[in-house]
Amino acid sequence: MKFDSYLTEDHYDELFESDAHPRKAAIPIIDRINSLPEEELKHRQQAAEAALMQMGITFTVYGTDEGTDRIFPFDVLPRIIEPSDWEHLERGLSQRICTLNLFLEDIYNEQRIIKEKVIPAELITSGRSFRPEITGLHPPKGRWCHISGIDIVRHRDGEFYVLEDNLRCPSGISYVLENRRVLKHTFPRLFETLRIRPVDDYPNRLLDMLEYLAPDTVETPSVAVLTPGIYNSAYFEHSFLAQQMGVPLVEGRDLVVSEGFVYMRTTRGFERVDVIYRRIDDDFLDPEVFRPDSTLGIPGIMEAYKAGKIAIANTPGTGIADDKAIYTYVPKMIEFYLEEDVLLPNVQTYVCWDGKERQYVLQNLDKLVVKSVNESGGYGMLVGPHATKKEREDFRHRIESNPRNFIAQPTLDLSRVPTIIDDHIEGRHVDLRPYALYGEEVYVHPGGLTRVALRKGSLVVNSSQGGGSKDTWVLEEVTV
């Protein structure tokens, strides 16, 4: 299994400039693979899969009959990002996260961006994730989006574009860490040869950021990870991060609010909690403020939060910045709040809420990708060129009945990376989800989760839709 017959097929390829001509940064990995004995690469792929299975790295797929827990598919051929590309991504992501933080502070307080007619008020207030209950809130240290996962794609022009923002409970960082651990065992000599930026310090950086949020009166903050429980699709990640940080993993039933503070039930009695990294949605966080039928949250926690007795990451209400209709306005937000040029552009997007743009979408359903503004994981999406006439008609009716709920984008030719398919190597489309922490400053973790569409020709990279992942190697700048 070698690269001798690999074809880029006129796509932008992350490792090859053209057929049989690897990019300079990829030459060591290409040469190493080509030097392996026949069948050796396949054996290493199988060994990596066995290691992941033994480690129990799973995700949950809802609504299937064959069982919910699945091993997350992993391909041992890495994606390589050169230092100059990463520097550009890092700067662009920092700019975007600072902007979204200012946007959230603004819309829940002064609403300057609405008053100056940059964004229509109705578009914000009609968003399912807008939380009028927290109007007037000022979170600790002025931070709203503490943990972000911004989805990036590379088009055939070689440029990076932002596909969507994830600020509520972005998942996937555990796969980044575990993928790297497995690949170090699979190709140890390559890690000795290449200067690849490490990723294993993320839990320490996450803990430092969470402790930074604690009330100023607390010298040694107590941190906990709040999970909805074992049936959540990302439960592996919740438990993994808690274990890596050395902090408790708790459910709502383990916490109680008493005399304005939040306490955790332990075998030694009640212990105070100062910071919660929550992995549950706003709806379920506090039945006294949001959904009264929630059994997953903690009654009274929002009152303690508003009183400054506890910090919560991410801040409740950040979901409105995830809304794909709001996403279209981020370039205008950057100009409005920072007065800067946009470093990472959006993918061209049509908002069905706008009558003129909706008409264009309805007339071009066979050419566009249509997305529900609040769905994730590849659900609520129509890939027009690959859809049936019946599927397109179904989406036509959905858009006409609830235009606020849909946006559309051109069908992008996503970049590809060589991927092991059965007994040979083929190109498969990928995206990238870098992760960022916002404490004292924005920190963008090197690399991120490269998700790969394992089905031939598919553009849908989500694990729930048949996608897998790769290790992402950000190379160090070599100084002479």
Side-chain angles (χ1 to χ4, degrees):
M1 196 185 302
K2 302 182 187 298
F3 288 99
D4 299 344
S5 59
Y6 182 73
L7 300 175
T8 59
E9 298 177 329
D10 199 33
H11 299 283
Y12 185 96
D13 195 278
E14 299 283 347
L15 298 191
F16 283 82
E17 293 179 358
S18 60
D19 298 346
H21 289 88
R23 299 184 187 280
K24 184 178 179 180
I27 290 175
I29 180 72
I30 304 302
D31 289 347
R32 177 65 179 140
I33 299 302
N34 283 335
S35 71
L36 292 175
E38 202 65 36
E39 299 295 310
E40 178 64 20
L41 181 59
K42 185 176 181 179
H43 293 156
R44 296 194 187 199
Q45 173 69 34
Q46 291 169 342
E49 291 171 353
L52 292 169
M53 184 173 292
Q54 188 175 29
M55 288 153 54
I57 301 177
T58 65
F59 67 97
T60 301
V61 178
Y62 301 119
T64 60
D65 296 327
E66 65 268 23
T68 55
D69 286 336
R70 298 181 183 176
I71 300 299
F72 195 35
F74 174 63
D75 185 82
V76 296
L77 300 179
R79 183 210 199 130
I80 294 176
I81 299 179
E82 299 194 46
S84 58
D85 285 337
W86 182 250
E87 191 271 338
H88 172 65
L89 283 171
E90 201 170 29
R91 288 174 53 236
L93 291 167
S94 296
Q95 179 191 62
R96 195 172 185 98
I97 289 162
C98 287
T99 298
L100 289 170
N101 194 81
L102 292 169
F103 166 71
L104 290 163
E105 174 70 22
D106 185 25
I107 62 166
Y108 286 114
N109 291 280
E110 291 185 52
Q111 298 193 337
R112 287 195 305 120
I113 201 163
I114 293 174
K115 293 171 184 174
E116 298 191 30
K117 302 187 185 305
V118 178
I119 297 180
E122 185 186 348
L123 193 63
I124 292 175
T125 57
S126 63
R128 195 171 78 189
S129 298
F130 180 69
R131 304 295 180 189
E133 301 93 337
I134 64 168
T135 298
L137 176 71
H138 298 284
K141 310 295 195 295
R143 303 292 185 259
W144 288 79
C145 41
H146 312 100
I147 303 108
S148 307
I150 310 295
D151 290 348
I152 303 290
V153 294
R154 199 171 202 165
H155 194 31
R156 65 179 303 135
D157 60 6
E159 297 298 319
F160 292 104
Y161 297 86
V162 176
L163 187 64
E164 63 182 59
D165 304 295
N166 299 284
L167 304 184
R168 273 174 289 186
C169 304
S171 63
I173 187 65
S174 59
Y175 301 123
V176 174
L177 305 181
E178 294 292 56
N179 286 353
R180 175 61 56 86
R181 186 161 67 149
V182 168
L183 211 58
K184 276 186 173 180
H185 286 94
T186 306
F187 292 110
R189 285 173 55 188
L190 276 173
F191 280 88
E192 295 170 2
T193 304
L194 293 173
R195 298 183 63 183
I196 303 165
R197 292 186 61 175
V199 299
D200 52 4
D201 64 338
Y202 180 86
N204 291 333
R205 288 182 176 272
L206 175 61
L207 182 59
D208 288 345
M209 184 275 295
L210 293 170
E211 290 179 339
Y212 168 76
L213 301 176
D216 293 334
T217 55
V218 178
E219 291 186 8
T220 308
S222 171
V223 177
V225 177
L226 175 61
T227 176
I230 61 172
Y231 298 109
N232 183 266
S233 62
Y235 181 75
F236 165 80
E237 177 159 297
H238 306 168
S239 57
F240 174 84
L241 290 175
Q243 185 270 333
Q244 291 291 305
M245 288 191 289
V247 304
L249 178 69
V250 298
E251 297 182 30
R253 61 189 175 182
D254 300 318
L255 303 175
V256 63
V257 177
S258 177
E259 298 180 351
F261 293 96
V262 179
Y263 293 90
M264 173 178 57
R265 293 184 174 92
T266 75
T267 55
R268 299 178 299 277
F270 288 103
E271 294 184 5
R272 183 172 156 182
V273 178
D274 305 300
V275 184
I276 289 179
Y277 174 22
R278 54 121 179 179
R279 295 298 297 259
I280 70 174
D281 289 339
D282 293 350
D283 281 341
F284 306 103
L285 188 57
D286 186 341
E288 293 181 359
V289 177
F290 303 116
R291 280 184 54 164
D293 60 341
S294 171
T295 60
L296 300 175
I298 308 98
I301 193 171
M302 285 303 298
E303 185 176 344
Y305 182 56
K306 290 178 179 179
K309 302 295 181 61
I310 190 165
I312 300 174
N314 280 345
T315 302
T318 55
I320 187 61
D322 278 7
D323 188 307
K324 294 178 180 65
I326 300 298
Y327 149 94
T328 62
Y329 287 87
V330 175
K332 291 183 179 180
M333 293 181 202
I334 291 171
E335 296 169 5
F336 180 75
Y337 292 117
L338 301 183
E339 298 182 349
E340 295 176 355
D341 293 332
V342 177
L343 297 176
L344 280 177
N346 281 9
V347 174
Q348 183 182 8
T349 304
Y350 304 95
V351 182
C352 293
W353 177 77
D354 179 278
K356 185 177 180 181
E357 295 188 10
R358 178 170 68 251
Q359 193 61 31
Y360 175 83
V361 171
L362 293 174
Q363 291 173 354
N364 293 274
L365 286 174
D366 60 331
K367 303 179 184 70
L368 300 170
V369 175
V370 182
K371 300 177 182 179
S372 174
V373 299
N374 291 297
E375 295 285 349
S376 59
Y379 296 105
M381 183 168 72
L382 175 83
V383 182
H386 299 163
T388 64
K389 183 177 180 180
K390 183 177 182 300
E391 288 169 336
R392 289 196 291 268
E393 285 305 306
D394 175 53
F395 263 76
R396 179 184 301 279
H397 295 313
R398 292 196 207 180
I399 293 169
E400 289 173 338
S401 63
N402 186 6
R404 168 63 176 81
N405 196 46
F406 294 93
I407 57 102
Q409 297 170 326
T411 307
L412 298 177
D413 183 11
L414 305 185
S415 65
R416 300 203 314 183
V417 179
T419 304
I420 297 172
I421 306 296
D422 299 325
D423 61 350
H424 60 288
I425 299 172
E426 291 183 5
R428 289 293 186 266
H429 295 292
V430 293
D431 77 350
L432 177 66
R433 177 177 289 180
Y435 296 87
L437 303 174
Y438 195 6
E440 289 192 67
E441 57 186 10
V442 176
Y443 163 74
V444 183
H445 200 57
L449 181 64
T450 289
R451 299 183 297 179
V452 53
L454 293 174
R455 296 171 184 164
K456 188 175 181 63
S458 175
L459 298 171
V460 183
V461 299
N462 307 84
S463 56
S464 56
Q465 309 294 315
S469 70
K470 289 174 170 285
D471 194 13
T472 309
W473 292 3
V474 175
L475 301 185
E476 298 259 15
E477 189 75 63
V478 179
T479 54
V480 179

